[in-house]
Amino acid sequence: MTLNQNRNYSDVTAMADVAFSYAPAKIILGGEHAVVYGQSALALAIDRGVRVAVSRVSHANGPILRAINLGFVGEVRPDPQGQGPKVLREALSKLRELIGADAQDLLITVDSDVPVGCGLGSSAALSVALLRGIHRFFGRNLSKENEAELALDLEKIFHGNPSGIDHTVISAGGLICYKRSEQKLLIDHISPGRKLKFAIGMAGQHAGTARAVSALKERSRRHPDIYGRIFSTIGDVVEQMKFCVQEGKLAALGELMDVNQGLLNSLGVSTPKLEALCSIARERGALGAKLTGAGGGGAVIALVDDDPQYIVEAFQAAGYMAFATELEKV
Ligand code: MEV
């Protein structure tokens, strides 16, 4: 079911004047890129995210997206030639298609504390928060299944052909092990045996997930056996990581994050800045550190077993933006 199939909202008795929604950002603990090739990956929703407010505005010719903070500040309309990032204009067109005529006078205000283009799932969080806000505004139910399906449609605008791990963990919340093959999709919800705390260091925006994924695809086509073995080794690392997370074996988990980072570097998705951030974290006593998401820029996550602040400060002292994070509290 989509909103579009229910364009007559006469069954909605009361429409909210304003509807608020939220979706968290995410980090990938292990298995990015290999997940595109059918291997397992571990991802968790974190304590930062995207907030949306949906309301009416007259003669808007909308929907209008007003960004308070979305990597930029300003208004976006679903207009091919209009202002604002092209992907946002396309996402708004998609929403207009889903909502139908009622989209005309919608004002969607977005605020986010997720750095954009850094592997933290800002676009998937935006997609899920938008869908939640719009459904809430029209007083309509959005099943988890429907949310995931519609979020994937929006994610394709941002990321080409994603594995689906970002919007899945953001929609599900918590920590998941995700594996997608041609035959089936496996999503395992995992309870960590101990609290997971991270320092995140930012190496700047990456060139885009779709670009990183397709460049890696090209490289792996040239050396299919070698890359295939690296992907399946990452899959093995992730299976071990899953056990360590469940058992609360944080030191071993950190070691496996370092191994995963080495393998990501061999795939060509790390950068000197990402390597520098990993070194800073390890030198300052982090249990392990790796890039998260597509790489080629973006963020490093460093696992600690106490207060992450000292690693955050070490990143900042070296000139990088940084913050502490943990699993989203629900
Ligand atoms: C993006 O967060 C992770 C990648 O594995 C791409 C994907 O899974 O779609 C690089």
Side-chain angles (χ1 to χ4, degrees):
M1 188 203 80
T2 65
L3 268 174
N4 196 22
Q5 287 165 304
N6 287 279
R7 294 255 300 259
N8 176 5
Y9 295 113
S10 56
D11 57 332
V12 179
T13 46
M15 266 187 225
D17 289 341
V18 189
F20 297 98
S21 61
Y22 174 79
K26 67 95 207 346
I27 54 178
I28 297 186
L29 200 51
E32 52 272 271
H33 284 292
V35 69
V36 175
Y37 298 83
Q39 300 296 334
S40 296
L42 282 172
L44 57 136
I46 60 170
D47 59 357
R48 285 184 169 232
V50 175
R51 279 174 186 76
V52 162
V54 182
S55 58
R56 287 253 185 244
V57 63
S58 45
H59 313 299
N61 198 20
I64 302 173
L65 187 147
R66 181 172 293 160
I68 296 177
N69 181 15
L70 200 59
F72 80 103
V73 176
E75 272 187 14
V76 184
R77 287 165 195 267
D79 168 0
Q81 313 306 330
Q83 60 180 20
K86 182 168 171 269
V87 282
L88 281 180
R89 285 185 270 121
E90 285 177 18
L92 274 187
S93 298
K94 185 88 195 168
L95 284 180
R96 182 169 59 186
E97 214 178 287
L98 290 171
I99 301 163
D102 278 324
Q104 192 71 4
D105 52 1
L106 279 189
L107 174 65
I108 304 170
T109 308
V110 183
D111 193 7
S112 167
D113 59 3
V114 188
V116 171
C118 291
L120 301 176
S122 62
S123 64
L126 175 65
S127 302
V128 172
L130 286 173
L131 291 166
R132 286 178 179 168
I134 282 162
H135 280 74
R136 199 162 290 162
F137 183 76
F138 290 113
R140 299 200 65 84
N141 180 43
L142 179 64
S143 69
K144 280 284 172 203
E145 205 181 19
N146 200 11
E147 178 175 285
E149 192 186 309
L150 295 174
L152 179 60
D153 285 348
L154 289 175
E155 264 290 85
K156 284 183 180 162
I157 295 173
F158 294 107
H159 289 324
N161 192 16
S163 69
I165 188 170
D166 288 14
H167 78 270
T168 301
V169 69
I170 282 165
S171 170
L175 199 161
I176 63 165
C177 184
Y178 180 94
K179 185 174 172 130
R180 185 196 70 173
S181 68
E182 268 164 33
Q183 296 77 30
K184 59 181 180 226
L185 173 64
L186 291 174
I187 302 165
D188 242 2
H189 292 264
I190 293 168
S191 302
R194 279 182 59 196
K195 197 164 178 175
L196 300 174
K197 289 180 280 188
F198 303 91
I200 302 208
M202 316 295 306
Q205 281 196 8
H206 58 51
T209 301
R211 197 184 288 187
V213 169
S214 72
L216 176 54
K217 187 152 272 165
E218 277 309 306
R219 290 196 291 280
S220 71
R221 271 203 197 110
R222 289 196 286 275
H223 312 281
D225 292 346
I226 290 167
Y227 279 79
R229 267 178 272 153
I230 298 175
F231 294 137
S232 69
T233 305
I234 292 177
D236 294 343
V237 170
V238 169
E239 290 304 329
Q240 290 286 318
M241 279 183 162
K242 185 175 162 185
F243 170 76
C244 295
V245 169
Q246 284 166 325
E247 297 296 313
K249 294 184 183 301
L250 297 192
L253 177 62
E255 279 173 8
L256 292 166
M257 286 170 67
D258 290 342
V259 174
N260 193 168
Q261 174 60 23
L263 293 165
L264 285 163
N265 196 4
S266 72
L267 291 175
V269 296
S270 192
T271 66
K273 279 187 180 171
L274 291 169
E275 293 299 322
L277 281 161
C278 289
S279 300
I280 292 168
R282 290 173 194 143
E283 274 162 21
R284 292 302 301 268
L287 299 174
K290 62 178 279 295
L291 68 85
T292 187
V300 155
I301 56 170
L303 179 71
V304 294
D305 62 2
D306 46 9
D307 185 355
Q309 199 51 35
Y310 67 102
I311 307 272
V312 169
E313 281 164 18
F315 286 156
Q316 288 167 339
Y320 297 98
M321 264 176 55
F323 58 92
T325 196
E326 59 186 22
L327 191 62
E328 176 200 27
K329 289 184 190 73
V330 278

